Amino acid sequence: MLNQGLFNFAQWLDSFELSTRLHESYYMYNWVESTHVVSLMLSLGMLFIIDMRMLGLTLTNVPASKIASKLNLPMMIGFSIMIITGLLLFFAVPVRTTQSIWFRIKFVLLIAAAINAWLFHKKLNESVSTWDNEPKAPKRLRYAAGLSLGLWAGIVTTGRLIAYDWYDCYRAQSQFITWAAGCMAE
Amino acid sequence: MELLPFFEWAETSLLGSIGKTYGGVYAIGQSLHLMALALLGGTVLLTDLRLLNVVLRDVPSDQVIENAHKWFKVALIIIMATGIFMAAAVATRMYYNSFYWAKMTALLAGIVFVFAIKRPLLKRPHKEINPLVLKSVAMASLVIWFSVAATGRWIGFS
Amino acid sequence: MDWFFVIEEKKHMKMDRLEMLALATSSAVFVVALVYWGIQIQGVRELLEMAYG
């Protein structure tokens, strides 16, 4: 059911002329892809610094709330670029990407990272006044920061793996992969 | 000096053949390379945007820069280690790839710029450094590291 | 541009050797990057023009 719906949606996206044109344009596609990758330096770069501050690994002499709030804007600019270029990349190759097991794992990890970030900020705002100048955040926030780093490592890795076709549906796959990737007969 | 034999040797070396044989290991190398790129980019942006007074303006720039530089070095080591691994597996192709050479030139320029110019300069109290020099160094550093990343990504497309 | 120079108090200082070197190298970086990326972009534009007119 779900897979059928996703597949229909992907085929619908695929029917746009713009999708094909983007996919087939060597320069446009690669330019979008490069922007997606290079903006990691801004989005993930800032996220790393914020998480590392919480873990007591850097800028320990600067209040944690200051790092979190001041680096939030550049980080969000970075993530906005990543989302826009990411959506374009998906739009360019919708059918294959929908049935990519790596893309599916990446998507789940992205949702987990978003929830983690939301809980992290809630907890941070509630408690920061009591420990702002400490070199390390309290245990729960440190776990959240560590989890954030782990989730993003997974997101980068699965994102990179989308490019590989080892588990693509056109190859003979185990039942588990066929199920998890949601392979549909075309 | 003829470099091609070295690249051919690199591809047949143990490191090169591991990357060639095990696609999964190669992909993990690429992912680590990307994560280190993010860390490197984060520290470079933090340093240079601070010097340009864009971020963390109320934190003394000396403090921000000392902290960032430690992690810049860590990121650089991971980037180079994973980069050598990635290049070894496809070394002969790299030899003929113009973006590979552009990237290596930019990387070398970046390393020299950081360790021979930026670091010695920023070891001084920042208030004593001519602001024009400070801003130029920050912008040049942004340009160099952006070029390293962008030419690096384009290696894969050409 | 006031925000640009906010922490610096001494705006007009004499430069010593290291500062001169830093300024010269930075300028060289700007020129080389401008030429390199300029050539790249120009190359792509010419190619696309040849292909699509």
Side-chain angles (χ1 to χ4, degrees):
Chain A
M1 246 312 264
L2 179 66
N3 280 329
Q4 188 63 52
L6 290 171
F7 184 70
N8 292 345
F9 176 65
Q11 279 202 318
W12 176 70
L13 287 180
D14 199 44
S15 67
F16 283 86
E17 199 200 326
L18 198 65
S19 164
T20 317
R21 277 175 59 180
L22 185 57
H23 184 189
E24 288 175 355
S25 160
Y26 172 81
Y27 285 106
M28 204 53 202
Y29 183 81
N30 289 351
W31 189 78
V32 174
E33 225 263 13
S34 300
T35 310
H36 192 67
V37 172
V38 173
S39 51
L40 268 181
M41 291 165 98
L42 185 58
S43 55
L44 215 50
M46 295 297 127
L47 181 113
F48 279 175
I49 290 163
I50 297 173
D51 284 342
M52 281 160 56
R53 167 63 184 88
M54 302 301 154
L55 293 169
L57 294 173
T58 193
L59 291 162
T60 45
N61 41 12
V62 183
S65 63
K66 186 173 275 179
I67 297 292
S69 63
K70 294 284 165 73
L71 299 186
N72 196 51
L73 180 66
M75 178 177 79
M76 284 308 178
I77 294 172
F79 279 124
S80 309
I81 301 170
M82 299 221 76
I83 291 171
I84 294 166
T85 48
L87 286 172
L88 282 171
L89 290 172
F90 180 77
F91 178 61
V93 195
V95 177
R96 174 177 181 260
T97 313
T98 306
Q99 298 182 85
S100 157
I101 184 142
W102 303 120
F103 177 75
R104 290 178 169 221
I105 300 173
K106 179 177 179 175
F107 202 83
V108 173
L109 293 175
L110 271 171
I111 293 170
I115 295 170
N116 184 52
W118 180 69
L119 290 171
F120 175 86
H121 275 281
K122 217 175 119 194
K123 187 79 193 153
L124 180 77
N125 293 335
E126 278 168 12
S127 72
V128 75
S129 54
T130 58
W131 59 270
D132 209 9
N133 292 312
E134 306 272 324
K136 279 185 196 171
K139 214 176 206 168
R140 266 191 63 186
L141 281 167
R142 289 211 302 278
Y143 284 144
L147 183 62
S148 158
L149 291 176
L151 286 168
W152 280 100
I155 292 165
V156 170
T157 307
T158 46
R160 179 58 256 202
L161 285 167
I162 295 172
Y164 292 94
D165 67 349
W166 309 320
Y167 295 109
D168 271 20
C169 291
Y170 76 88
R171 291 168 178 253
Q173 301 292 359
S174 69
Q175 245 181 338
F176 173 73
I177 298 285
T178 309
W179 169 79
C183 294
M184 291 274 151
E186 280 191 61
Chain B
M1 195 172 63
E2 189 50 71
L3 283 171
L4 185 58
F6 171 72
F7 280 77
E8 285 169 342
W9 167 80
E11 198 162 331
T12 52
S13 69
L14 179 65
L15 199 62
S17 43
I18 290 174
K20 251 182 165 24
T21 320
Y22 305 103
V25 179
Y26 192 76
I28 288 169
Q30 289 179 319
S31 305
L32 285 172
H33 196 71
L34 285 176
M35 283 179 247
L37 168 79
L39 181 59
L40 183 125
T43 61
V44 167
L45 284 165
L46 189 69
T47 305
D48 296 333
L49 294 179
R50 175 63 193 88
L51 292 176
L52 293 169
N53 280 327
V54 178
V55 294
L56 294 177
R57 289 165 65 174
D58 47 355
V59 182
S61 53
D62 314 59
Q63 233 178 63
V64 175
I65 280 138
E66 281 315 306
N67 272 290
H69 187 65
K70 279 181 210 149
W71 289 99
F72 169 84
K73 283 186 283 189
V74 173
L76 192 63
I77 290 169
I78 304 173
I79 277 203
M80 296 214 290
T82 50
I84 290 168
F85 169 67
M86 284 157 64
V90 285
T92 28
R93 218 169 76 209
M94 289 302 103
Y95 180 80
Y96 294 107
N97 186 312
S98 67
F99 284 101
Y100 171 79
W101 291 107
K103 177 179 175 165
M104 288 307 121
T105 311
L107 178 63
L108 192 66
I111 293 171
V112 171
F113 187 71
V114 167
F115 291 99
I117 292 175
K118 201 176 167 192
R119 283 305 292 165
L121 186 74
L122 294 180
K123 273 191 186 137
R124 301 174 173 183
H126 294 180
K127 281 193 174 161
E128 288 170 20
I129 304 170
N130 186 305
L132 179 70
V133 175
L134 211 54
K135 311 297 177 199
S136 307
V137 165
M139 299 242 244
S141 158
L142 285 174
V143 168
I144 292 181
W145 293 108
F146 167 79
S147 299
V148 173
T151 48
R153 185 60 202 95
W154 213 267
I155 291 174
F157 296 139
S158 49
Chain C
M1 289 300 272
D2 272 1
W3 61 273
F4 203 68
F5 294 103
V6 84
I7 51 160
E8 283 77 21
E9 283 142 16
K10 303 170 196 166
K11 284 186 192 171
H12 307 286
M13 278 184 291
K14 277 195 85 173
M15 284 191 259
D16 67 3
R17 268 192 67 185
L18 183 60
E19 286 175 304
M20 300 260 237
L21 184 67
L23 192 62
T25 326
S26 306
S27 313
V29 167
F30 298 137
V31 173
V32 172
L34 207 67
V35 170
Y36 177 77
W37 288 114
I39 290 173
Q40 291 299 330
I41 292 167
Q42 193 55 33
V44 171
R45 284 179 58 172
E46 275 167 21
L47 199 81
L48 290 178
E49 223 154 89
M50 268 197 321
Y52 300 106

